[in-house]
Amino acid sequence: MTTVQLNKLSRYYGTYHALRDVSLSVQSGEFIVLLGPSGCGKSTLLSAIAGLDDLQGGQVLLDNQDVTKQEPSRRNIGMVFQSYALYPTMTARQNLSFGLEVARTPKAEINQRVEWAAQVLQLTPLLNRKPGQLSGGQRQRVAIGRALVRKSNLFLFDEPLSNLDAKLRTEMRVEIKALHERLGATFIYVTHDQIEAMTLASKIAVMRSGVIEQFGPPEELYDRPASLFVADFLGSPSMNQLAGELRVEDGRVFVEHAGGRSEVTGYPFAALPKDGLEVVLGLRPEQLSIGEGGGAGRLTVRLLLIEPLGADSLAWCEVGGQRMSVRVPPALARSLSGELPVSFAPATVSLFDKTIGHRL
Ligand code: ADP
């Protein structure tokens, strides 16, 4: 079992502060996804855990042992990178056993571990092939196998699927999730793909400019994003954002926004709402209903077009010069046209302070 504790990690590249006092606590057996746009510090954080990079401050603890100064090879971490870096002249079996041979592991044990990893990853019939004779997905499985034979309890993945085409990526995603469940090991996985993050993670850490902006289970980040940045990053299409102004009247709270005025008294405000505050209403496409039956939130929008997605449809609308999407059943979508009343339940949506972008 492996727990990971990061305390105030700081990493500079020259004057650029790539990790700004990042702290993170990972329980044994969790599947943590580091998610964020390119350049936010995900790979730097992963390298810090692996020990591949020097830190200017902070501590890395594995199983409560301070390993900050320990060599990468002594941390016994399984790593899988974006570029598989398989040896092209070696067979899959040789690729799997090479690291163990270098570490002078006894031959019988090497064989046993390679057989086991091959079986877990369904590579057994392919062990005598060279990388050139394997498909992209099979090569990636060999790369994962190379990490697996180390018998580690902690695996780090750095964008392992980004070189694969869309279909293969979906298949490998399922395999990686199944592998995690089978091993019960701790996984830390870097991606900029929000769907990968939502489907794989037990918890997601959303990173932005060298800090973790929010850390929690995918549903929590999706339903209650702590900031506009997180709200925008998760979900496809992204959360609708409607600017407005808060009105506090006799203990009731309203938002005046383009297309209407919505009572949001039932919203779980973290602090007492202030009259006149500039806010952003965050509305997921599925939180909006056509008609007035959806709740106390009300606005009128103009239908632009219907986008059929199969199981449901997106009604793309416009209000106050802003585009919004509403998820609707296909049968209803076909009957829509012109100006539409839309409603929502205020308790379930998101409200942000427009100036600082934080959740209210
Ligand atoms: P991510 O993995 O989220 O794309 P990285 O961790 O690779 O981001 O990089 C974080 C920031 O640090 C980026 O702005 C990147 O340009 C910078 N950076 C990364 N590695 C180096 C390096 N070796 N030298 C200088 N700057 C670097």
Side-chain angles (χ1 to χ4, degrees):
M1 294 289 110
T2 300
T3 61
V4 180
Q5 179 73 43
L6 309 179
N7 294 333
K8 296 195 159 196
L9 300 190
S10 180
R11 173 66 166 115
Y12 283 88
Y13 293 111
T15 56
Y16 184 73
H17 207 175
L19 292 180
R20 301 164 180 250
D21 294 339
V22 173
S23 297
L24 186 69
S25 203
V26 179
Q27 306 300 313
S28 192
E30 281 195 301
F31 197 137
I32 302 299
V33 172
L34 307 178
L35 175 70
S38 183
C40 69
K42 305 180 295 293
S43 300
T44 304
L45 189 57
L46 211 63
S47 298
I49 300 169
L52 298 173
D53 213 0
D54 287 334
L55 290 165
Q56 276 76 51
Q59 296 167 306
V60 178
L61 280 78
L62 301 182
D63 285 332
N64 301 318
Q65 300 281 324
D66 188 340
V67 300
T68 317
K69 301 263 184 285
Q70 204 175 70
E71 287 297 311
S73 58
R74 298 196 49 220
R75 298 187 189 193
N76 191 30
I77 295 174
M79 279 182 281
V80 183
F81 295 102
Q82 177 178 348
S83 54
Y84 329 131
L86 300 180
Y87 299 105
T89 59
M90 293 186 190
T91 61
R93 178 187 294 280
Q94 288 164 334
N95 266 287
L96 292 180
S97 51
F98 183 70
L100 298 176
E101 281 163 10
V102 171
R104 297 184 189 281
T105 310
K107 191 122 192 97
E109 185 168 350
I110 294 179
N111 283 338
Q112 189 214 336
R113 289 200 204 177
V114 168
E115 298 297 334
W116 168 76
Q119 188 237 327
V120 168
L121 295 163
Q122 291 162 19
L123 284 169
T124 309
L126 308 171
L127 281 176
N128 293 324
R129 294 205 198 166
K130 291 184 177 164
Q133 301 166 304
L134 298 171
S135 71
Q138 291 165 341
R139 265 180 252 163
Q140 187 54 289
R141 295 220 295 272
V142 176
I144 295 173
R146 223 172 22 183
L148 227 55
V149 294
R150 299 175 62 97
K151 292 251 157 177
S152 169
N153 289 319
L154 174 61
F155 291 89
L156 308 181
F157 295 83
D158 195 351
E159 307 243 11
L161 307 184
S162 57
N163 283 338
L164 305 178
D165 66 41
K167 183 165 178 290
L168 206 50
R169 221 161 45 218
T170 312
E171 286 170 17
M172 283 303 295
R173 205 167 71 203
V174 175
E175 284 192 29
I176 289 179
K177 188 156 179 151
L179 180 66
H180 174 254
E181 276 168 20
R182 175 164 183 171
L183 296 178
T186 308
F187 278 26
I188 304 181
Y189 185 107
V190 162
T191 183
H192 62 271
D193 180 336
Q194 58 101 12
I195 295 182
E196 237 168 79
M198 291 291 290
T199 51
L200 288 174
S202 58
K203 284 189 194 143
I204 301 175
V206 177
M207 292 188 70
R208 177 193 198 181
S209 309
V211 300
I212 293 176
E213 183 114 342
Q214 190 173 6
F215 180 52
E219 320 80 66
E220 186 180 310
L221 272 61
Y222 186 82
D223 292 339
R224 292 185 297 284
S227 65
L228 280 168
F229 179 80
V230 175
D232 205 36
F233 212 82
L234 290 175
S236 176
S238 49
M239 186 181 255
N240 297 298
Q241 296 184 11
L242 199 59
E245 205 171 301
L246 222 53
R247 290 277 164 252
V248 183
E249 296 166 4
D250 303 329
R252 295 170 73 185
V253 191
F254 299 83
V255 179
E256 284 171 1
H257 49 75
R261 175 180 159 95
S262 296
E263 174 154 16
V264 294
T265 310
Y267 181 83
F269 286 98
L272 225 49
K274 278 202 205 87
D275 187 61
L277 185 71
E278 288 200 63
V279 296
V280 174
L281 255 173
L283 308 161
R284 294 270 179 217
E286 62 276 16
Q287 290 175 331
L288 292 166
S289 306
I290 305 287
E292 291 181 348
R298 297 283 155 86
L299 63 153
T300 304
V301 301
R302 190 169 59 84
L303 183 68
L304 295 175
L305 64 89
I306 297 288
E307 192 181 7
L309 300 176
D312 51 24
S313 296
L314 286 176
W316 285 95
C317 308
E318 186 268 340
V319 58
Q322 198 168 325
R323 198 164 278 208
M324 296 185 72
S325 60
V326 183
R327 215 176 273 280
V328 290
L332 173 64
R334 284 191 285 275
S335 71
L336 300 176
S337 66
E339 301 268 308
L340 302 170
V342 168
S343 55
F344 59 90
T348 61
V349 302
S350 295
L351 270 170
F352 302 96
D353 181 322
K354 186 179 176 188
T355 316
I356 52 173
H358 289 174
R359 186 182 188 82
L360 293 180

